[in-house]
Amino acid sequence: MEEHSMIIKRRDDNQCFSEPNMANSSRIQNVVPRPGFSALHRLRKKRKGQRVKDPLDDLLLKTLTSQRAMEERFLQMEERRFQRDLDVEERRMQLEQRRFELEREHEFRMFSVFAQMLSILKQSHNGSSSSLAMPRGLDFNQALSEIAGMAGGGGDLQEARAVQPGRPLAERRIDLHGFCNSGEFQRSPYLSARGNIANIFRGSTEEGYKAYHADKYDEDKNPNGIINFGTSENKLCFDLMSKRLTQTDMNLMEPPLLQYPDWKGHMFLREEVARFLTYYCKAPAPLKAENVIVLNGCGSLFSALATVLCDPGEAVLIATPFYGGITQSVFLYGNVKLVYAYLDSKITGTSTRPFQLTVDKLEKALQDARAEGVTVRALILLNPQNPLGDIYSLSELQDYLEFAKRHELHVIVDEIYMLSVFDESATFHSVLGMDRLPDPQRTHVMWGISKDFAVSGIRFGTLYTENQDVANAVASLCYFHGVCGPVQHKVAQLLRDRDWINQVYLRANHARLKAAHTYVTDELKTLGVPFLNRNAGFFVWIDFRKYLRTGTFEEEMLLWRRFLDNKVLLSCGKAFECSEPGWFRIIFADKTHRLQLGMQRIRKVLEEREQEILAEAKEQPCQSDQDGKTDSTDEVIFVSRHQEPTCAGSSNLGDLIGLLQQQMRSSDWLQKNTAEQFAQEKPEIYDVFSKLVGKQ
Ligand SMILES: Cc1ncc(COP(=O)(O)O)c(C=O)c1O
C-alpha cells in the first residue's frame, strides 16, 4: 500500500516536473504530443478503484521514468533550438545596424567629396576670370546620384561608360547627363548592381520618346500632339513598303521557317544578303554567304561585336558627335567603354570642314587613352555619319583603316544609311567596295533595313566579316538576337527584288528625302539658322548656339525642353556626346504637313528665345558680344552671324549652382537627410549643404 502510494506520489511528481517545463516553451505546448499521458491517467484511475498491488507497477515505473527522461531531453533540444533562433535574430539586427551605418558613412563621404569639389570650383572661379576654371560639361545628375548612394556597388557606374582621355576627371563625368533621370531614381532592391545601372540607363532620347508616345501628333485625332523630329526613322515610304511586304510572294510558312534556324541565319537569306551587298557596295569580287550573319538589328550587332572583341572594361574608339544608341549597345551587355575623339565645328589645320574626322584626332584620342592605361580594341566608323550626314571619301576611308591596322584595332563600319544618299552629286563608298582592305581579318561591316527600307519595326541587321572566329562568336550570341523564320523569308524576297528596289523604291525614296530636306533647310535659311548641308541620312545637324546665352549644356537642355513643351521633339547635341553645346539634330524624313507644323513650332520657340536674349542682354550686357565670329565655309551655311557666348565664366558657375540647388531640392535624398543632421554629425559640410538647399 505504502509502496503503491509512493508510486502514485512519484507519478504526481512526474507531472509536477513536466508541466512547468512544458509551460516554459510556448512552442512545445503546441508541438509535443505527450506520449503515454492518457494511458497513465487511465491506469491511475483503475488503480484507485482496485487499491491492489500490481506486478506491472514496476514495469510502469520504469516506463514512466524513461518517458520523463525522454521528455526532458526533448525539452532541452527545443530550448536550444529556440536559443539559436534568438541568436540568429540578434545577429541579423546587428548586421542591419552595421549596413545602415555603412550607408550613412558612404553618404557622408560622397557629400564631403562633393562639398570639396564645389569649394574648389568656387575658389578657382574667384581666383581667375578664365572660363576654364569652370569644367565644361560637369554632370550633376551623376554627382547627385553618387551622393544619394545609388552608385554604391557600382564603381562601374562612375567611370564605366566613357573614357575621355586628356581631360581632367571632373570633365569626364559628363556621361549620365541626358542618359538617365537620376532625380527620380531609387536603387531597386530587386535588381543587381548592373540591373540598377540598366534601370537608370535610359536611352538618351528616353524622356522625349516617352512623352511622344504618350501624346503623338495625329492630324485628325490629336492635332495638338507632339511632332517627332527626334527619332531617326524614314516616315516617307511606309506606303511603298507596306504594299511590297504584303504581296503574295512574301507569305510563306513552310516547316523550316517554323523551326530553330542556323544561328547565323537561314542560308537562303545569307546568300541573298551576300548578293545584295556585292551589288550595292560595288564589291570587286562576289561576297560570300559564309561571311554573312543576320540578326535583329544593328543595335544588337554593336552589342554582340563589342562583347566578342573586347573584355569588360576595355574600350572602343569613336568620334563624337555619334549616334547615341551605340553607348547603350556596347556598354549595357558587354560592359565595354567608349573612348571619344572629339570633333568640333572649327576649321583648323588638316580639317577642311566642320566636325571633320581626321587621323590626327583619332591618333590623339587613342594615345591619350593608352596613356591612362585603357586598352582600346576597336574603332567604330559610321558612314554615312549620324548625326552629321558626312560621307567619307575613299581616301579618308583608306586613312582610317590604315590607322586602325597600324594599331591593331578592329574596325566596325556601320553603313546602315548607305542607300539613303539622296543626291546624285554625292557618292557613297562602302568599305566592302574597296579593292583591298588593309586588315581584312579585323574589318567588320554592318548594314540593316531599318533606315534604307524604312522598316525599323521589323528588326533586321546583318554583319559581313571574313574573320570566322568573329563570325562564330557573334553567331553564338545570335541565339538571343535571332530573326524569326517568316521574317527571314520576307527580307530575302525583298532584297532579291532588284527591279522594284531600283526602279520603284529607291527612286521614290530619294526624291522624297530630297524634297523634305530642301523644305527643312529652306526654312532654316529663312530663320537665319546655320546648319551642315549634307546629302545623306534623314537628319540635319543644326547650330542653335546663338539661342544659348551662356553656352552650357544645361542651357541646351532647357532649349530642348522648350521645344518639347511646344510639342516638337528634337535631339540635342548632348545625346550624341557633342563637345559643343547648342547643336541639335532634326529628322526631316517626314510628311509635308508634319514638317510644316513642326517647323512652325520650332520657329515660335526660336523667336521667343531671341526676344528673351535681347531683353537679357539689355539688362545684363555681356562685355564682348562677338557677332560674326563663327567660321564660315562652303559646307556649312552660316546664314546668320554667330554670337559666341562670352559671359560664360560667371554665368556657368551661377547656372551650375542653381541647377544643383534645384536638383537637390527635388531629390528624395533630402527626405532622408537634413542639413541639421550634418550640423551635428559633420559640421564641416553643414555650411555648404545648407547653402545649397537654401537654408542660409
Ligand atoms: C548609325 C546607326 N546605327 C545603328 C542604328 C540602329 O539600327 P537598328 O534599327 O538596325 O538596330 C541606328 C538607329 O538610329 C543608327 O542611326
Side-chain angles (χ1 to χ4, degrees):
M1 194 65 185
E2 241 183 64
E3 193 184 338
H4 184 75
S5 59
M6 218 173 86
I7 291 169
I8 300 293
K9 190 168 182 301
R10 276 194 199 139
R11 284 178 200 148
D12 288 340
D13 283 347
N14 276 344
Q15 271 185 291
C16 290
F17 175 81
S18 325
E19 284 178 357
N21 272 322
M22 304 271 270
N24 264 349
S25 165
S26 57
R27 296 167 186 223
I28 298 171
Q29 279 183 336
N30 298 330
V31 176
V32 178
R34 307 179 72 185
F37 180 80
S38 56
L40 176 63
H41 194 64
R42 273 201 310 278
L43 191 71
R44 204 188 283 161
K45 265 181 148 178
K46 193 177 152 204
R47 292 278 178 273
K48 249 188 192 166
Q50 290 174 350
R51 296 283 175 207
V52 178
K53 186 176 178 189
D54 191 328
L56 286 176
D57 276 352
D58 256 347
L59 186 60
L60 184 58
L61 179 62
K62 281 180 189 147
T63 311
L64 289 174
T65 311
S66 64
Q67 180 192 345
R68 190 180 73 173
M70 273 165 60
E71 249 184 37
E72 252 179 293
R73 175 102 187 98
F74 184 77
L75 287 171
Q76 279 167 3
M77 278 166 58
E78 274 300 300
E79 271 167 2
R80 245 181 264 146
R81 192 161 68 87
F82 189 52
Q83 189 57 44
R84 258 202 322 271
D85 285 353
L86 283 176
D87 289 346
V88 167
E89 180 67 12
E90 201 174 309
R91 175 107 188 95
R92 202 183 59 75
M93 284 173 68
Q94 279 170 356
L95 281 174
E96 195 99 308
Q97 178 64 21
R98 179 79 194 119
R99 203 165 59 84
F100 176 71
E101 281 166 15
L102 282 173
E103 256 174 34
R104 294 280 305 154
E105 271 173 33
H106 174 73
E107 285 171 353
F108 279 135
R109 234 187 352 263
M110 292 316 301
F111 196 85
S112 76
V113 166
F114 190 60
Q116 281 168 23
M117 195 174 80
L118 253 188
S119 72
I120 289 167
L121 275 177
K122 273 184 174 168
Q123 278 166 18
S124 52
H125 170 68
N126 292 340
S128 150
S129 60
S130 158
S131 61
L132 283 177
M134 162 61 206
R136 193 172 42 155
L138 186 66
D139 186 280
F140 284 93
N141 279 339
Q142 176 157 3
L144 202 74
S145 311
E146 287 174 359
I147 292 167
M150 89 184 192
D156 286 7
L157 183 61
Q158 296 172 19
E159 48 150 342
R161 293 185 31 246
V163 181
Q164 300 158 44
R167 297 189 160 209
L169 189 66
E171 284 190 63
R172 283 190 224 153
R173 301 271 176 93
I174 60 172
D175 322 321
L176 291 179
H177 183 87
F179 281 95
C180 67
N181 199 348
S182 59
E184 290 167 12
F185 181 78
Q186 281 208 326
R187 192 186 173 95
S188 166
Y190 299 107
L191 298 174
S192 63
R194 60 182 172 185
N196 269 294
I197 292 171
N199 191 17
I200 58 161
F201 201 103
R202 309 261 157 76
S204 53
T205 48
E206 181 73 13
E207 186 186 343
Y209 196 65
K210 244 166 115 180
Y212 166 67
H213 278 282
D215 183 20
K216 269 185 196 175
Y217 169 82
D218 182 286
E219 203 176 3
D220 305 316
K221 293 187 203 133
N222 191 17
N224 292 322
I226 295 171
I227 300 225
N228 185 355
F229 289 169
T231 310
S232 183
E233 279 176 321
N234 183 346
K235 297 200 181 87
L236 293 167
C237 290
F238 294 147
D239 55 335
L240 298 171
M241 287 310 295
S242 62
K243 199 167 157 200
R244 181 64 192 93
L245 290 172
T246 46
Q247 282 172 3
T248 46
D249 64 321
M250 290 287 167
N251 300 322
L252 194 71
M253 282 292 163
E254 298 214 322
L257 298 180
L258 304 176
Q259 292 172 301
Y260 287 124
D262 177 340
W263 301 124
K264 287 183 178 172
H266 283 292
M267 192 41 103
F268 67 80
L269 174 58
R270 291 161 60 208
E271 282 169 356
E272 212 50 67
V273 169
R275 279 193 284 272
F276 178 89
L277 293 178
T278 303
Y279 178 80
Y280 286 102
C281 298
K282 301 189 176 62
L287 299 172
K288 295 178 186 153
E290 74 218 41
N291 298 340
V292 172
I293 293 174
V294 304
L295 75 177
N296 64 343
C298 291
S300 301
L301 193 43
F302 271 119
S303 298
L305 279 172
T307 303
V308 305
L309 300 179
C310 309
D311 280 323
E314 293 182 342
V316 292
L317 175 60
I318 192 164
T320 79
F322 65 90
Y323 159 61
I326 293 173
T327 316
Q328 258 161 298
S329 292
V330 304
F331 175 68
L332 279 189
Y333 271 133
N335 195 0
V336 169
K337 300 175 186 183
L338 290 168
V339 165
Y340 298 153
Y342 286 97
L343 310 183
D344 58 46
S345 62
K346 291 191 187 62
I347 298 173
T348 49
T350 50
S351 313
T352 57
R353 60 177 190 267
F355 295 100
Q356 182 167 353
L357 177 60
T358 63
V359 168
D360 284 352
K361 289 174 192 166
L362 291 174
E363 196 79 56
K364 178 163 185 344
L366 179 67
Q367 295 313 334
D368 287 348
R370 286 186 172 167
E372 293 202 355
V374 177
T375 304
V376 180
R377 292 278 179 215
L379 164 69
I380 293 178
L381 293 175
L382 311 178
N383 186 32
Q385 217 275 3
N386 175 7
L388 302 173
D390 275 353
I391 304 172
Y392 299 129
S393 69
L394 253 185
S395 76
E396 281 176 323
L397 279 177
Q398 192 75 36
D399 290 349
Y400 307 146
L401 296 183
E402 292 288 355
F403 155 82
K405 184 183 180 182
R406 269 199 306 285
H407 296 287
E408 296 192 349
L409 299 179
H410 290 268
V411 190
I412 300 170
V413 193
D414 176 350
E415 299 185 350
I416 197 167
Y417 292 97
M418 75 165 174
L419 298 180
S420 302
V421 181
F422 50 84
D423 195 305
E424 281 126 31
S425 66
T427 311
F428 166 78
H429 298 281
S430 168
V431 158
L432 295 176
M434 292 170 78
D435 286 335
R436 191 192 61 82
L437 286 175
D439 194 353
Q441 286 298 306
R442 287 202 184 84
T443 308
H444 319 293
V445 183
M446 58 169 80
W447 176 78
I449 60 173
S450 292
K451 315 293 175 182
D452 286 346
F453 283 101
V455 283
S456 46
I458 287 190
R459 315 305 302 128
F460 174 86
T462 180
L463 169 69
Y464 191 88
T465 179
E466 289 182 24
N467 186 319
Q468 289 309 304
D469 293 340
V470 173
N472 289 332
V474 168
S476 298
L477 301 182
C478 283
Y479 175 58
F480 324 121
H481 297 293
V483 180
C484 71
V487 167
Q488 294 202 30
H489 170 75
K490 279 185 206 293
V491 174
Q493 290 300 97
L494 176 71
L495 300 186
R496 92 162 36 109
D497 196 351
R498 208 68 58 72
D499 285 346
W500 179 81
I501 295 174
N502 290 337
Q503 307 309 325
V504 180
Y505 179 74
L506 287 181
R507 278 186 188 186
N509 186 25
H510 291 166
R512 292 175 190 185
L513 284 172
K514 194 170 176 177
H517 180 264
T518 305
Y519 175 78
V520 168
T521 52
D522 282 351
E523 284 290 301
L524 292 171
K525 287 177 204 167
T526 352
L527 281 168
V529 171
F531 60 91
L532 296 200
N533 199 16
R534 302 286 187 262
N535 308 308
F538 309 153
F539 23 77
V540 184
W541 187 238
I542 303 176
D543 181 2
F544 281 151
R545 283 180 295 174
K546 67 174 172 174
Y547 299 101
L548 308 187
R549 185 152 152 76
T550 57
T552 61
F553 284 108
E554 286 70 37
E555 241 196 324
E556 176 185 282
M557 196 60 156
L558 290 175
L559 182 58
W560 174 84
R561 213 173 286 284
R562 183 95 167 248
F563 286 124
L564 192 60
D565 291 345
N566 282 272
K567 302 295 178 83
V568 57
L569 173 64
L570 304 183
S571 307
C572 58
K574 191 73 183 72
F576 307 91
E577 297 293 349
C578 183
S579 57
E580 292 175 358
W583 290 85
F584 280 69
R585 188 191 73 173
I586 278 191
I587 298 296
F588 63 80
D590 211 336
K591 296 280 186 192
T592 312
H593 66 280
R594 281 192 293 260
L595 288 182
Q596 284 170 344
L597 187 57
M599 289 310 293
Q600 215 172 298
R601 291 174 183 179
I602 289 174
R603 176 186 286 272
K604 177 173 168 277
V605 171
L606 296 180
E607 283 171 357
E608 281 170 11
R609 189 70 199 120
E610 227 156 33
Q611 294 307 315
E612 286 166 10
I613 287 179
L614 276 177
E616 282 167 26
K618 267 188 208 146
E619 272 171 32
Q620 198 189 349
C622 286
Q623 278 174 354
S624 55
D625 281 0
Q626 296 176 25
D627 281 0
K629 266 194 78 181
T630 312
D631 305 310
S632 180
T633 70
D634 293 343
E635 301 264 356
V636 189
I637 299 180
F638 280 104
V639 285
S640 76
R641 288 182 300 166
H642 173 66
Q643 179 187 322
E644 287 278 304
T646 50
C647 298
S650 57
S651 308
N652 277 351
L653 188 59
D655 282 1
L656 183 134
I657 292 175
L659 187 80
L660 182 63
Q661 283 174 327
Q662 193 192 339
Q663 293 208 358
M664 288 193 73
R665 283 194 205 106
S666 62
S667 162
D668 64 352
W669 187 74
L670 278 180
Q671 290 167 11
K672 293 192 289 162
N673 301 276
T674 61
E676 287 68 28
Q677 270 172 283
F678 286 104
Q680 292 153 18
E681 298 178 45
K682 299 268 164 172
E684 71 273 16
I685 52 176
Y686 171 69
D687 183 40
V688 181
F689 186 19
S690 45
K691 268 185 195 142
L692 281 171
V693 294
K695 297 240 172 202
Q696 285 180 10

